[in-house]
Amino acid sequence: MLRYLQFNGRMSRATGSRPSDLPMRVQDSNRMSMVYTTPQSKFGKLSIPKPQSGTSERRTSFFGARTSGAGMPRNSIMSGFGGTEKIKDARPLHDKSFVQQCIRQLHEFLTEQGYPGTLSSKTLQSPSTKEFVKMFEFIYRQLDPTFEMPNSKVEEEIPALLKALRYPFVLSKSSMYSVGAPHTWPQALAALVWLIDTVKINWSLMKQDLLFSDFCEDSDSIEEGAEYNKLFLDYTAETYSKFMQGDDTFEEEDEAFLTKLKKLYNVDEAMLVSMEEKHRMLSKEVEQLEKESQTDRLMTKRMEKMKLQADLKKLQSYRSSLETFEANLEKKASELDDELDTTVSHLETLKHERNELQHLLQNQKFTPADVERINREKRELQQTISSLSKSLEDAEQHKWNEEIAFAKAKEKAELKLAEYHKLARKLKLIPQSAENACGHDFEIRPSECGPGSMVQYKMQIQMRLRKLISDVEEENSRLTNANLSLEESCEQVNFDITEKSNDVKQLREQIRKLDERLDFDMQEIAREEQEWAAEIESVENHCKLLEKKVNYGYDEAVQQLKAAQQEYHLVLQETNEERRTVANNLASVFTTAADHLSITEKCLEDLHRQVQRVCSKAVEEDKAAVQKLRETLKSFKSKANSL
């Protein structure tokens, strides 16, 4: 009952007065949040619910597919709220301007929020699935900072997350395998833009919670019932119809709604009065206790001060973000103004060029010589194109043959080199610190020697081998001589053993010194072997680096070849277009000339027939006149003879 009294007092405060510094619509929207209160345990607890987050799994819609009531305009946005039918996507996803606008919005948002990955126009025009997952994870973390994208089944996780966020359209699982494709990227891009809008709405709701947190402090749960839902829907329909007609206050509907709630839950007025009296008494006791315990009040004030300081910091950060956003908007506006000026100047230039081309088109005339010259140039161009295409095919075939020959030669050389290295290892000539290497490097490294220095490298190795053979032979002869001399000395020593017993101690001392020197020499040799091993490792690393650079250069050459081929195809397409245009122009010219000749022939035939008719008529008239003159002459002659 105490909750109900607080609810009733809050509602009377919300409807009884109107703040002067807020618009009426804003005040009503805050007051309208009151109608979501639901009685609990026979008015044992009335609460105002907190706004549910965008990721809530349980959502209850109070609005079905309703028809417009009396006085409601037909364009009400509440008519289809909460429907389950599939919504048709009316966005122009295949319009290039719309796609470019969405890409700009995505780029601006990721840049402003400090996206850790690399951003470029090429990446956002056709990103890979991995880049799309990174962008989606970054945007979704603006809603849930603890979110971590799983490593497996990403193509199922992203549509499920969008569906949980009530994304109104379907993003298929198969589209996640090829996000950057032209037929799937607009849909995925639109989903990212929608997710960005959801993040911005969530930020605005968080700011509203900061400014209007006292409206949602006592909300814990919602108890829904059929009768209460019916009352609530009737109340909502009446207030919304009046709101659409222009009303801003709904005191009568609020009083009627409270009366119906009291009847529905059997509220006892006498009990309410007694509870109000108890509430006043308890309030006085609480005030007295607060006065007695000053330390508690001090702690409360300190807590309030800390809350206010935290709210002040949040407001200051929000103000700084607004100032940054305003500066960005001003910068974008200046850039757009510059772009508009450039576009206007470019438009004027294009208009001038169009007028010149129209003037040139109106004044040009084709003569038979021009037609013959165009045909001759056309045949020359066709011959040039055929010859160039043939030469290109020959060059590609020659390149392919050379690559095959090079690969075969390289394979043979590698086999011979492997056999040489195997034999050298058997002879203990490789590595350089081997027993028979004598400090020489007998290993052949193809990456270090070019094609011209291979012969020189071979000669050097042969010379070293010959020198090594001669050294071995000399050492063998020397050791043989030494062996003979040692045998003689051994006989002499055996003969003089009895006489040299006094020198045994001295010889033992010399042997000890020699052993120490031998140990020292062995340590020096081990150290030198380690140095040679480190040097060999560095040389091998250098060899791998060179191979990597060669492969990278080959990839770049292949890419340049592909770019050249694409440019060739583009030039070929433009040439074909120009050829078709010239052919169409020639066909129209020939058609016009043929029509003109046929009309001229018809006119000449008509004139010929008219001239023939006139000539025949004139000849007949002349013949009649001549006959008449002859008859007159004859009559004159007869008269003259008679006289």
Side-chain angles (χ1 to χ4, degrees):
M1 299 300 290
L2 181 59
R3 293 277 184 174
Y4 177 75
L5 291 173
Q6 293 175 353
F7 166 78
N8 198 2
R10 186 178 298 171
M11 184 173 179
S12 64
R13 288 196 302 273
T15 58
S17 62
R18 177 176 177 177
S20 60
D21 56 346
L22 289 174
M24 193 63 191
R25 299 276 176 171
V26 176
Q27 187 266 343
D28 287 340
S29 64
N30 293 331
R31 184 184 55 76
M32 284 294 288
S33 64
M34 174 275 301
V35 300
Y36 288 94
T37 59
T38 306
Q40 235 178 18
S41 303
K42 299 295 183 181
F43 275 79
K45 186 175 182 181
L46 288 172
S47 61
I48 300 174
K50 294 181 180 179
Q52 296 180 358
S53 64
T55 58
S56 177
E57 295 180 356
R58 180 179 178 273
R59 293 193 178 194
T60 303
S61 175
F62 294 110
F63 301 99
R66 296 177 54 89
T67 58
S68 59
M72 277 192 188
R74 294 185 64 84
N75 59 354
S76 173
I77 62 173
M78 305 295 287
S79 59
F81 185 81
T84 59
E85 65 275 3
K86 186 177 180 181
I87 302 174
K88 185 178 180 182
D89 195 351
R91 297 173 294 183
L93 298 179
H94 297 288
D95 188 3
K96 292 184 179 179
S97 60
F98 177 76
V99 173
Q100 294 300 324
Q101 182 181 358
C102 292
I103 289 174
R104 284 196 296 271
Q105 292 180 5
L106 178 62
H107 186 272
E108 291 174 0
F109 181 82
L110 294 177
T111 304
E112 291 175 358
Q113 300 305 320
Y115 178 66
T118 58
L119 290 176
S120 63
S121 58
K122 184 178 180 181
T123 304
L124 295 180
Q125 290 293 337
S126 178
S128 62
T129 303
K130 185 176 181 181
E131 293 170 347
F132 174 78
V133 170
K134 286 183 179 179
M135 290 187 286
F136 181 86
E137 182 180 2
F138 178 77
I139 298 172
Y140 195 85
R141 281 184 178 176
Q142 307 301 319
L143 294 173
D144 185 6
T146 62
F147 173 73
E148 291 291 339
M149 181 65 71
N151 295 327
S152 61
K153 295 185 179 180
V154 178
E155 64 278 359
E156 297 179 1
E157 185 70 18
I158 292 177
L161 291 173
L162 290 173
K163 186 176 180 181
L165 291 175
R166 304 294 182 185
Y167 182 58
F169 310 109
V170 179
L171 191 64
S172 62
K173 183 175 70 174
S174 60
S175 62
M176 293 292 101
Y177 293 103
S178 58
V179 176
H183 63 282
T184 57
W185 172 233
Q187 298 177 1
L189 178 62
L192 289 179
V193 173
W194 181 87
L195 186 59
I196 290 172
D197 295 336
T198 304
V199 171
K200 292 180 180 178
I201 292 172
N202 186 34
W203 288 347
S204 64
L205 291 176
M206 290 172 65
K207 292 171 184 175
Q208 289 180 6
D209 292 340
L210 175 63
L211 296 174
F212 308 107
S213 59
D214 58 339
F215 288 93
C216 304
E217 289 177 353
D218 299 331
S219 60
D220 294 326
S221 60
I222 295 178
E223 178 184 333
E224 298 175 359
E227 296 179 357
Y228 173 76
N229 288 340
K230 184 176 182 302
L231 291 177
F232 175 71
L233 289 174
D234 293 338
Y235 170 78
T236 306
E238 292 176 3
T239 53
Y240 186 70
S241 63
K242 288 192 175 183
F243 176 76
M244 295 299 291
Q245 292 174 0
D247 294 342
D248 288 330
T249 58
F250 312 103
E251 287 83 2
E252 297 178 359
E253 286 75 8
D254 294 341
E255 293 177 359
F257 181 63
L258 287 176
T259 304
K260 291 179 182 179
L261 286 178
K262 290 177 182 179
K263 290 180 181 180
L264 177 62
Y265 293 98
N266 298 322
V267 178
D268 190 358
E269 296 291 341
M271 186 182 293
L272 287 177
V273 173
S274 63
M275 293 299 294
E276 287 179 357
E277 186 66 26
K278 289 181 180 179
H279 176 64
R280 283 195 294 271
M281 293 173 64
L282 291 173
S283 298
K284 289 181 181 178
E285 291 180 1
V286 168
E287 290 178 358
Q288 186 176 1
L289 290 173
E290 287 180 352
K291 289 179 181 178
E292 291 177 358
S293 59
Q294 294 294 330
T295 57
D296 296 337
R297 289 186 64 192
L298 181 61
M299 292 298 296
T300 304
K301 293 296 182 182
R302 286 178 179 175
M303 294 297 294
E304 290 179 357
K305 181 181 178 182
M306 292 174 65
K307 289 182 179 179
L308 291 174
Q309 288 178 353
D311 293 341
L312 179 61
K313 290 180 180 179
K314 291 181 180 179
L315 288 173
Q316 289 176 353
S317 63
Y318 178 61
R319 178 184 177 185
S320 62
S321 64
L322 286 178
E323 291 176 353
T324 307
F325 182 68
E326 183 181 1
N328 292 331
L329 288 178
E330 291 177 355
K331 184 179 179 181
K332 291 178 183 177
S334 62
E335 291 178 356
L336 289 175
D337 291 336
D338 297 337
E339 186 177 357
L340 181 62
D341 296 336
T342 307
T343 306
V344 169
S345 61
H346 184 61
L347 180 62
E348 294 295 333
T349 306
L350 291 177
K351 286 181 179 180
H352 182 67
E353 291 179 357
R354 186 189 65 181
N355 294 331
E356 291 181 354
L357 291 174
Q358 286 180 353
H359 180 70
L360 181 61
L361 180 63
Q362 292 174 359
N363 293 332
Q364 70 179 358
K365 292 181 180 179
F366 286 100
T367 62
D370 294 335
V371 173
E372 184 178 359
R373 178 176 55 79
I374 291 171
N375 290 328
R376 186 172 62 255
E377 291 178 354
K378 178 182 177 182
R379 289 192 295 271
E380 291 177 356
L381 288 174
Q382 289 178 351
Q383 293 176 359
T384 305
I385 290 170
S386 62
S387 63
L388 288 175
S389 60
K390 185 177 180 181
S391 62
L392 179 61
E393 291 177 357
D394 295 338
E396 289 179 352
Q397 185 65 29
H398 181 68
K399 177 186 175 185
W400 176 252
N401 295 330
E402 290 294 332
E403 288 179 353
I404 292 173
F406 175 72
K408 291 181 179 178
K410 184 178 180 181
E411 186 177 359
K412 291 180 180 178
E414 288 177 353
L415 290 174
K416 291 183 179 179
L417 185 61
E419 292 177 358
Y420 167 75
H421 285 168
K422 185 177 179 181
L423 182 60
R425 287 188 179 91
K426 286 182 179 180
L427 296 174
K428 297 181 180 181
L429 297 175
I430 296 175
Q432 193 171 359
S433 59
E435 182 180 354
N436 298 328
C438 297
H440 298 293
D441 188 7
F442 291 96
E443 186 177 1
I444 299 176
R445 299 178 181 85
S447 59
E448 296 181 359
C449 55
S453 60
M454 183 61 73
V455 178
Q456 184 178 0
Y457 204 91
K458 182 179 179 181
M459 294 297 295
Q460 290 179 359
I461 292 175
Q462 288 178 354
M463 291 174 64
R464 291 174 183 174
L465 288 173
R466 291 192 186 98
K467 184 178 180 182
L468 180 62
I469 291 169
S470 62
D471 292 340
V472 169
E473 290 177 352
E474 291 178 358
E475 184 69 18
N476 190 12
S477 62
R478 186 180 65 79
L479 290 174
T480 303
N481 296 328
N483 190 13
L484 293 174
S485 62
L486 285 174
E487 288 177 357
E488 293 177 357
S489 63
C490 183
E491 291 176 357
Q492 185 69 27
V493 168
N494 289 329
F495 180 76
D496 296 335
I497 264 180
T498 56
E499 296 178 358
K500 299 294 183 182
S501 58
N502 295 328
D503 298 334
V504 170
K505 294 182 181 180
Q506 185 178 359
L507 289 174
R508 288 178 180 176
E509 184 67 22
Q510 291 178 358
I511 289 170
R512 186 183 62 79
K513 291 181 180 180
L514 288 174
D515 289 336
E516 290 178 355
R517 186 174 180 181
L518 179 61
D519 293 336
F520 179 75
D521 292 339
M522 291 296 292
Q523 291 177 0
E524 288 291 329
I525 290 171
R527 185 176 59 79
E528 290 179 357
E529 287 180 354
Q530 291 178 358
E531 291 178 356
W532 283 114
E535 186 175 357
I536 290 170
E537 185 178 358
S538 64
V539 170
E540 289 178 353
N541 294 329
H542 183 64
C543 178
K544 292 179 181 179
L545 181 62
L546 289 176
E547 289 179 356
K548 185 177 179 182
K549 289 183 179 180
V550 169
N551 293 328
Y552 179 72
Y554 176 73
D555 294 336
E556 285 187 351
V558 171
Q559 291 179 359
Q560 291 177 2
L561 178 60
K562 290 181 179 179
Q565 289 178 353
Q566 292 178 358
E567 185 177 0
Y568 167 72
H569 289 303
L570 182 61
V571 171
L572 182 61
Q573 186 177 2
E574 291 177 355
T575 306
N576 292 331
E577 291 292 335
E578 291 178 357
R579 187 188 305 165
R580 284 196 293 270
T581 304
V582 172
N584 293 331
N585 292 335
L586 288 175
S588 62
V589 168
F590 290 155
T591 304
T592 305
D595 294 339
H596 180 68
L597 288 174
S598 61
I599 293 170
T600 305
E601 287 177 357
K602 289 180 180 179
C603 292
L604 290 175
E605 288 176 358
D606 293 337
L607 287 174
H608 183 65
R609 285 195 294 270
Q610 291 177 4
V611 168
Q612 283 182 352
R613 285 197 298 270
V614 172
C615 289
S616 61
K617 186 176 181 181
V619 168
E620 290 176 357
E621 290 178 355
D622 291 341
K623 285 181 180 180
V626 169
Q627 187 67 27
K628 189 175 181 180
L629 288 173
R630 287 177 180 176
E631 290 177 357
T632 305
L633 181 60
K634 286 181 181 180
S635 64
F636 280 141
K637 285 182 178 181
S638 61
K639 286 180 181 181
N641 292 329
S642 63
L643 292 175

